[in-house]
Every structure is written in structure tokens, then in C-alpha cells.
């Protein structure tokens, strides 16, 4: 794993991750998410990913410590350039993959020093950047999205907190993939650890394939079967991605 190129950024990341802050609210953060209550979408993803990693034999994460830092990029850091990654004028706009790679390097450095508490807090920050990059609504931009972005993210959060069929279906899909993809996942872990920015960018590109369909479908018909399927597949891929980075 290559170390971060900008030592000032690395030190800033470490300082922020060590700052005490109450458990954050995400995908939506702050007051809008507190109105829903319970864990946020990104906290849910992280908890599921840690469970997957434990089943694979990786158990260094202090989950409570990691959950407490997940929303800091929204509530404290406000580094919005790193909260998206989308095709833009022949290139890309946003830098979520680069920031994910910075935090991965910091996590790995802390683990090499035997400091699992710091590594866990840094993992919470990493989770934010990776899962923002893999949220379809952070991979594109159009006027119609402005009418549904917040509503969609809050609705997904509410469905997860309802502990009903939506959450159970995602968990069942995750359990099924656990049982069938052991060899493929080993190769995926090795590849991801070699280039985290590329791994995140690739995950974001897959999420972007759902962007227009999600915006059109949700805006016109609220939470349709199509938007539910996109939400569920997004959660499943995000959990697998974070689990991969925990194990890498």
C-alpha cells in the first residue's frame, strides 16, 4: 500500500479522526437524520461490513469507536469535494476515491503500530468517503435530483431502522454471497489493498449506472420497486466494499 503523498493531509485526517464527537448521522447527517432516529445508513453499512469481516476471520475493529466518527466529514470537516465522484466534462468531478485511499493508508499505519482504537476511528471516516462515492446520487448531477436526493436517503434510513423486510432482504443477500464467493473475494481483497483509489473509483462507476434510473423512478413514483432494488443493491455492494477494505 502506497503511503499518502501529502503528509499535511494525513496529519489533518488523523487529528480529525481522534477528535471526540457524538455518533454522527448519515447518508443524511445532522438534524434531518436525527428526526428519523436509530443508526444512519453509513453506520448500518459499517456494522454489517464488520460482521462480514469477522466471519472471514478479521476481528480488529472496535465497532463503537468506528461508528462514532462515521459522520464527521459532514458535521465537522465539511470537505464536500471529497463526498462525490462523477463523470464531468471528459473527466471526473469530486475526489472521494483519493480521500478513501488516504484514510486506508492511515488505518493500515495504525494497525501496523498495534493501535486498533485509532485504526477503528479512522475506519469510520474511511467508511463515510467510500459509501458517499458508492451512493448513486453522489455519482451524478442534474436538476431533477435536487427534488428527491434528501428524501430518498432519509427513506432508506427509515426502512433500515424499521427492522422489516427491506433490511432482512439485504442481509439475506449478503449472507448468500458470503457462502458462494469465498475464492473471488480473496482475490478482490488482495486487489483492493494494492490500489484503494482505483477500487473506490470502480465501485463508484458501478453505482453511477443506476443514477438516472433512480432519479427518474423515485421522483415520479416515490419508493417504487425499482428504487427499492437500487437501494438494496447499493447497500449490498457498499457493505462488501467496506468489508473488503477492512480485510485488505
Amino acid at each position: 500500500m502506497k503511503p499518502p503523498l501529502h503528509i499535511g493531509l494525513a496529519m489533518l485526517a488523523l487529528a480529525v479522526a481522534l477528535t471526540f464527537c457524538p455518533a454522527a448521522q448519515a447518508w443524511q447527517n445532522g438534524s434531518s437524520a436525527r428526526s428519523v432516529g436509530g443508526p444512519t445508513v453509513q453506520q448500518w453499512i459499517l456494522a454489517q461490513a464488520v460482521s462480514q469481516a469477522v466471519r472471514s476471520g478479521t476481528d480488529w475493529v472496535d465497532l463503537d469507536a468506528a461508528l462514532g466518527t462515521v459522520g464527521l466529514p459532514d458535521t465537522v470537516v465539511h470537505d464536500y469535494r471529497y463526498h462525490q465522484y462523477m463523470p464531468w466534462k471528459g473527466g471526473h468531478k469530486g475526489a472521494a476515491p483519493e480521500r478513501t485511499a488516504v484514510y486506508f493508508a492511515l488505518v493500515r499505519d495504525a494497525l501496523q503500530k498495534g493501535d486498533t482504537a485509532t485504526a477503528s476511528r479512522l475506519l469510520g471516516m474511511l467508511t463515510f468517503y467510500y459509501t458517499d462515492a458508492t451512493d448513486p446520487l453522489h455519482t451524478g448531477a442534474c436538476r431533477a435530483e435536487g427534488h428527491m436526493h434528501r428524501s430518498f436517503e432519509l427513506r432508506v434510513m427509515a426502512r433500515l431502522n424499521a427492522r422489516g423486510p427491506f433490511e432482512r432482504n439485504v442481509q439475506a443477500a449478503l449472507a448468500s454471497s458470503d457462502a458462494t464467493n469465498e475464492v473471488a473475494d480473496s482475490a478482490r481483497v488482495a486487489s483492493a489493498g494494492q490500489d484503494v483509489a482505483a477500487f473506490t473509483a470502480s465501485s463508484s462507476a458501478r453505482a453511477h449506472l443506476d443514477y438516472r434510473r433512480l432519479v427518474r423512478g423515485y421522483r415520479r413514483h416515490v419508493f417504487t420497486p425499482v428504487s427499492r432494488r437500487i437501494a438494496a443493491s447499493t447497500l449490498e455492494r457498499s457493505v462488501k466494499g467496506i468489508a473488503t477494505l477492512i480485510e485488505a
Side-chain angles (χ1 to χ4, degrees), residues 142-186:
C142 68
R143 183 175 298 178
E145 181 201 323
H147 299 286
M148 54 75 64
H149 187 134
R150 178 174 178 272
S151 173
F152 171 77
E153 293 182 345
L154 287 173
R155 189 176 289 266
V156 173
M157 181 178 168
R159 294 218 169 202
L160 289 175
N161 281 302
R163 300 288 188 264
F166 178 76
E167 181 191 38
R168 289 196 294 271
N169 288 339
V170 177
Q171 290 174 325
L174 288 166
S176 176
S177 67
D178 268 358
T180 59
N181 293 332
E182 184 173 346
V183 174
D185 284 349
S186 296

Side-chain angles (χ1 to χ4, degrees), residues 78-245:
H78 307 302
D79 53 349
Y80 300 119
R81 173 172 175 260
Y82 300 99
H83 300 191
Q84 59 186 358
Y85 188 69
M86 64 185 69
W88 191 263
K89 297 181 179 180
H92 286 88
K93 179 180 181 181
E98 288 82 353
R99 188 53 61 94
T100 303
V102 166
Y103 274 94
F104 179 81
L106 292 170
V107 168
R108 179 165 283 186
D109 182 62
L111 287 176
Q112 288 173 346
K113 296 175 181 176
D115 189 351
T116 56
T118 295
S120 298
R121 290 192 289 269
L122 290 164
L123 175 66
M125 301 283 281
L126 179 156
T127 296
F128 178 95
Y129 296 110
Y130 179 84
T131 57
D132 257 16
T134 56
D135 176 352
L137 298 182
H138 288 243
T139 68
C142 68
R143 183 175 298 178
E145 181 201 323
H147 299 286
M148 54 75 64
H149 187 134
R150 178 174 178 272
S151 173
F152 171 77
E153 293 182 345
L154 287 173
R155 189 176 289 266
V156 173
M157 181 178 168
R159 294 218 169 202
L160 289 175
N161 281 302
R163 300 288 188 264
F166 178 76
E167 181 191 38
R168 289 196 294 271
N169 288 339
V170 177
Q171 290 174 325
L174 288 166
S176 176
S177 67
D178 268 358
T180 59
N181 293 332
E182 184 173 346
V183 174
D185 284 349
S186 296
R188 175 181 167 92
V189 167
S191 175
Q194 292 173 3
D195 193 339
V196 174
F199 174 72
T200 306
S202 175
S203 301
S204 184
R206 171 58 188 86
H208 182 66
L209 297 178
D210 292 326
Y211 175 76
R212 293 191 181 280
R213 196 157 51 109
L214 176 58
V215 171
R216 287 196 300 265
Y218 186 88
R219 184 174 178 233
R220 293 173 183 170
H221 306 292
V222 192
F223 217 54
T224 62
V226 169
S227 59
R228 281 197 298 273
R229 284 195 295 272
I230 292 173
S233 63
T234 296
L235 292 169
E236 183 182 350
R237 289 194 304 272
S238 297
V239 169
K240 290 179 181 178
I242 294 298
T244 294
L245 294 176

